[in-house]
Amino acid sequence: MNRMEKMLKIAGIGANEGVLIHKPSNMFHLSGYTGEGLIAAGNGFQAIVTDFRYTEQAENQAPGFQVLMIENGVSHSALAAKLFCDHGISKVRYEDDEVTVRAFEEMKKSMQDMEFASLGNAPEKARRVKDEKELACIEEACNISCRAFEALLPRIKTGMTEKQLQIMLDYTMLEMGADALAFDTIVASGENGSLPHAIPGERKIQLGDMITFDFGAKKGGYCADMTRTVAIGQPKDEMRKIYETVLRAQEECEAALAPGKCCKDIDSIARKIIDDAGYKGRFGHGLGHGVGIDIHEAPRLSQLCSDPLEVGHVVTVEPGIYVPGLGGVRIENTCAITESGARTLVHAQKALLIL
């Protein structure tokens, strides 16, 4: 069963139903195609609808797909509608969390005799469990990220800005083989560490600072995600306590990962450790999330997710403590769920580094 057949089965697509895929990440997963356009498919047929700029690319990247080219004022929706009519499709399932109001109006205009219904995130459900090829790409992205971070460490000096460190880390990941960055790199120093998604700025690194780096390379279309917090000189006693608390939470949660475990329960382990250490309310985000083609995927390790972990899931474990006016610490590994538990794909040191 190929990826398209798996997705159609998950969605329960009937003989008279077709699907439209607009999300680039879902298009890539189902076909290998990375250009613009959409996928129109159903039981027994699958096609990429695009324009002249991408037809050759689509033929090369998705050899199992028919490639249809728009021209002479014929829209993507109109060409998909003709394909559906040719295959007796009367109901169209689409990504209602992606298609704009304007695009949906165009779809209805082109497919006036067809019924529309939500695809219900079936492509994302099909992407949750990673195969060996996907795991290899994520692991390579993590390896590049770790090597880039380790190469950066001896170059960090007081007086440098957060922005300078971001640029250096980003460039090193690309130089070491990353196809792209998985997301915008976070570098947060000193008091800025209390901002979980801090934007690197002109703040200069000072002696005694803790610096949080949250970053990841992208390789083969798949993301890495890791976070490390280091100290420049001896940190304050309070920050050292925070670091040890976060490290304990991270290690205990990572050790608890296993197939069948409830996502919510794993999150609760970290929350209890942090609350009991006196930092209740200072860990305001979920423990982790799935990683794959997108940097945030299902399942999520949070109080809002009761899904069980499965072999082939790839999730982050990233507890943090954030204290306004003082700073913060986050430590994160990307981990693959295995039959016997889990294995980390990130091997950079987690014990406190004092540079």
Side-chain angles (χ1 to χ4, degrees):
M1 183 182 296
N2 63 32
R3 289 179 177 179
M4 179 62 78
E5 291 169 340
K6 178 182 177 182
M7 189 277 291
L8 295 175
K9 182 178 179 180
I10 288 173
I13 299 300
N16 68 327
E17 291 183 307
V19 300
L20 288 175
I21 305 295
H22 288 81
K23 288 183 185 177
S25 56
N26 286 335
M27 291 176 62
F28 171 64
H29 181 261
L30 293 169
S31 69
Y33 174 59
T34 59
E36 296 180 9
L38 58 83
I39 287 177
N43 291 297
F45 69 95
Q46 52 188 20
I48 293 170
V49 183
T50 187
D51 61 72
F52 174 80
R53 298 170 298 165
Y54 297 101
T55 52
E56 183 179 1
Q57 178 181 337
E59 289 166 355
N60 291 335
Q61 291 181 326
F65 282 69
Q66 182 182 2
V67 178
L68 303 176
M69 185 177 75
I70 62 170
E71 56 184 341
N72 299 326
V74 178
S75 69
H76 292 77
S77 293
L79 209 51
K82 183 179 184 307
L83 180 69
F84 285 154
C85 287
D86 291 344
H87 286 85
I89 300 301
S90 59
K91 183 176 182 179
V92 178
R93 303 274 291 278
Y94 73 103
E95 297 169 308
D96 59 346
D97 60 337
E98 174 74 9
V99 176
T100 65
V101 172
R102 182 178 296 179
F104 184 59
E105 291 301 318
E106 171 63 28
M107 284 163 50
K108 290 194 295 183
K109 181 179 178 182
S110 300
M111 308 174 193
Q112 294 183 12
D113 297 327
M114 298 181 188
E115 178 187 353
F116 290 90
S118 171
L119 191 52
N121 295 113
E124 287 84 354
K125 293 174 184 175
R127 287 165 49 186
R128 284 189 175 204
V129 174
K130 274 60 178 178
D131 60 30
E132 290 302 316
K133 183 179 179 181
E134 292 176 300
L135 286 170
C137 289
I138 298 171
E139 188 159 18
E140 178 58 21
C142 288
N143 286 337
I144 291 170
S145 305
C146 288
R147 288 191 288 114
F149 177 65
E150 288 165 353
L152 176 69
L153 290 175
R155 304 171 65 189
I156 300 173
K157 308 294 181 185
T158 56
M160 299 177 71
T161 68
E162 295 170 337
K163 190 67 178 177
Q164 285 176 307
L165 292 176
Q166 177 204 5
I167 292 169
M168 290 166 63
L169 182 54
D170 290 352
Y171 179 82
T172 305
M173 284 190 284
L174 294 169
E175 189 178 43
M176 288 184 169
D179 298 331
L181 305 178
F183 55 94
D184 291 339
T185 295
I186 295 168
V187 180
S189 63
E191 65 278 3
N192 289 342
S194 68
L195 303 169
H197 276 192
I199 298 172
E202 297 305 316
R203 186 190 183 280
K204 293 183 178 181
I205 306 304
Q206 303 170 26
L207 196 63
D209 277 351
M210 298 281 265
I211 312 173
T212 296
F213 296 87
D214 188 344
F215 59 99
K218 197 162 192 176
K219 189 68 176 178
Y222 288 80
C223 298
D225 195 359
M226 63 178 285
T227 305
R228 291 294 186 268
T229 302
V230 302
I232 306 299
Q234 292 297 327
K236 297 175 181 178
D237 290 344
E238 181 73 5
M239 290 303 297
R240 189 183 287 272
K241 177 188 174 185
I242 288 172
Y243 192 96
E244 293 303 323
T245 302
V246 172
L247 179 60
R248 180 187 165 205
Q250 201 284 329
E251 290 182 334
E252 291 198 18
C253 289
E254 188 172 302
L257 296 174
K261 291 288 189 70
C262 175
C263 290
K264 180 179 179 179
D265 292 344
I266 303 295
D267 177 273
S268 294
I269 295 171
R271 219 156 288 283
K272 185 177 189 308
I273 290 170
I274 290 170
D275 288 356
D276 288 352
Y279 297 103
K280 188 172 184 178
R282 296 294 98 210
F283 173 35
H285 56 76
L287 176 66
H289 54 84
V291 177
I293 298 169
D294 292 324
I295 192 58
H296 293 116
E297 297 187 354
R300 296 187 179 254
L301 302 181
S302 81
Q303 291 297 295
L304 301 177
C305 182
S306 297
D307 295 346
L309 292 170
E310 299 178 32
V311 174
H313 282 170
V314 177
V315 295
T316 65
V317 179
E318 50 179 306
I321 295 174
Y322 313 93
V323 181
L326 178 64
V329 171
R330 183 166 63 254
I331 304 170
E332 172 188 22
N333 276 358
T334 295
C335 303
I337 306 302
T338 66
E339 291 183 359
S340 59
R343 67 184 180 94
T344 182
L345 305 181
V346 175
H347 300 290
Q349 177 178 320
K350 288 190 291 187
L352 179 60
L353 279 170
I354 298 176
L355 305 179

